[in-house]
Amino acid sequence: MTTGGTVPWGREYLNEVFGTFEEGIVDDEGEGSMKSMEFFHDVFSGGSYGGRLIDVGSGSTLYQVISASMFFSEIVCSDYSQAARAEIEKWLKKDKGAFDWTSYFQYFIELEGSSEKIEDREQKLRQAINAVVHCDVLQPNPTHPLTFDPFDVMVSAYCLEVASPDREAYVKAVANISTLLKPGGTIVFESYIGATFAVIGGAKAKILPVEVDFVVQTFKDAGFSDIKTVYYPSPDRDEYKVTDVKGMLFFTAKKM
């Protein structure tokens, strides 16, 4: 998830959501909560990928690029929040205060049926991530002032619906991030559907409520095709513990 408002998207977010995988999040998200990680494994293990990858809206997390580290020689992580980016930098530098992603690496290694050692996979990801940069999806060049050659693959999870104040901004954000991907390139995308807020560290992040049809059509209008979607509805509930999310949408698509 990426950043917005005064929500502490750095270490407090990691401790609250990924330290114990808070039950409140799972209760609200439902089946899609764990499927979110499985989707990245399924995509990268089931296709032919390689080259360069950019993660748009990395937040402070790494789970979304652990599987990718097997296939990409260059990975760029990006986020709006300096605090979030700092957490990734700490992990890359093996800082003693860095968040411990060991159990997540183990999870993906087990999904792959691999006997690889956790420390070896961690080293692969450290070697692959060659930049952690500022990113603002509302700007025509989201990585301004830096400019990159278009990437082969883009990952973006739970970013645009948090970063966009309204639907017009969301449409522009999709067009903006599309410039980071080369023609024929693949986007691996995950999004909350129908959510208006999420509470992290006692602070409420405003989320733009979007529907599956709106998201898919927006990407089609931005020049994406071959959109393959998976949708997991959230459970019906009388009260919301962390977020009022209605479902989770995952898809891959090709930039024409």
Side-chain angles (χ1 to χ4, degrees):
M1 187 180 289
T2 188
T3 57
T6 58
V7 175
W9 292 113
R11 187 52 177 268
E12 189 170 351
Y13 168 67
L14 289 177
N15 288 341
E16 184 170 322
V17 178
F18 292 91
T20 58
F21 210 80
E22 185 190 8
E23 290 183 0
I25 292 258
V26 176
D27 290 345
D28 280 337
E29 292 179 344
E31 184 182 9
S33 197
M34 291 304 293
K35 293 293 185 182
S36 175
M37 290 189 287
E38 289 181 22
F39 183 69
F40 290 112
H41 160 73
D42 292 343
V43 168
F44 291 119
S45 65
S48 178
Y49 294 99
R52 301 167 56 249
L53 177 149
I54 185 167
D55 181 8
V56 173
S58 304
S60 48
T61 63
L62 292 171
Y63 71 90
Q64 67 274 21
V65 289
I66 292 175
S67 287
S69 66
M70 292 288 290
F71 307 100
F72 294 89
S73 58
E74 177 182 338
I75 295 175
V76 173
C77 296
S78 69
D79 199 76
Y80 186 85
S81 165
Q82 189 279 330
R85 298 194 306 273
E87 290 299 324
I88 296 178
E89 294 279 11
K90 287 179 185 177
W91 183 84
L92 289 172
K93 297 173 183 176
K94 298 184 179 181
D95 189 293
K96 290 183 178 179
F99 186 77
D100 183 5
W101 289 99
T102 302
S103 61
Y104 290 85
F105 278 88
Q106 182 65 46
Y107 175 78
F108 279 99
I109 289 171
E110 290 176 355
L111 278 180
E112 295 162 4
S114 172
S115 59
E116 185 177 19
K117 293 181 180 179
I118 293 173
E119 54 267 30
D120 290 340
R121 177 60 66 84
E122 288 177 332
Q123 186 59 24
K124 279 182 182 175
L125 183 56
R126 286 190 172 97
Q127 290 175 342
I129 297 176
N130 66 355
V132 181
V133 304
H134 177 268
C135 178
D136 184 350
V137 299
L138 302 182
Q139 298 302 314
N141 173 17
T143 61
H144 179 80
L146 300 177
T147 301
F148 293 93
D149 290 335
F151 290 82
D152 300 287
V153 173
M154 176 187 299
V155 167
S156 187
Y158 315 107
C159 171
L160 301 190
E161 68 271 29
V162 178
S164 304
D166 53 42
R167 294 193 174 212
E168 181 180 1
Y170 189 101
V171 170
K172 290 181 179 178
V174 172
N176 294 339
I177 67 171
S178 72
T179 64
L180 301 174
L181 193 61
K182 64 174 55 174
T186 298
I187 184 169
V188 185
F189 191 81
E190 297 191 349
S191 175
Y192 268 6
I193 295 298
T196 65
F197 73 88
V199 178
I200 302 295
K204 181 181 285 188
K206 182 180 179 181
I207 300 176
L208 179 69
V210 292
E211 305 83 35
V212 172
D213 289 347
F214 169 75
V215 175
V216 171
Q217 189 60 52
T218 299
F219 275 86
K220 286 182 178 178
D221 292 344
F224 287 87
S225 63
D226 194 24
I227 302 176
K228 299 176 181 177
T229 64
V230 182
Y231 178 71
Y232 294 98
S234 298
D236 293 331
R237 53 211 189 276
D238 295 327
E239 61 180 9
Y240 309 118
K241 296 182 179 180
V242 178
T243 174
D244 60 346
V245 63
K246 305 300 187 297
M248 300 170 76
L249 171 68
F250 311 149
F251 70 75
T252 59
K254 294 283 188 181
K255 180 181 176 181
M256 293 187 290

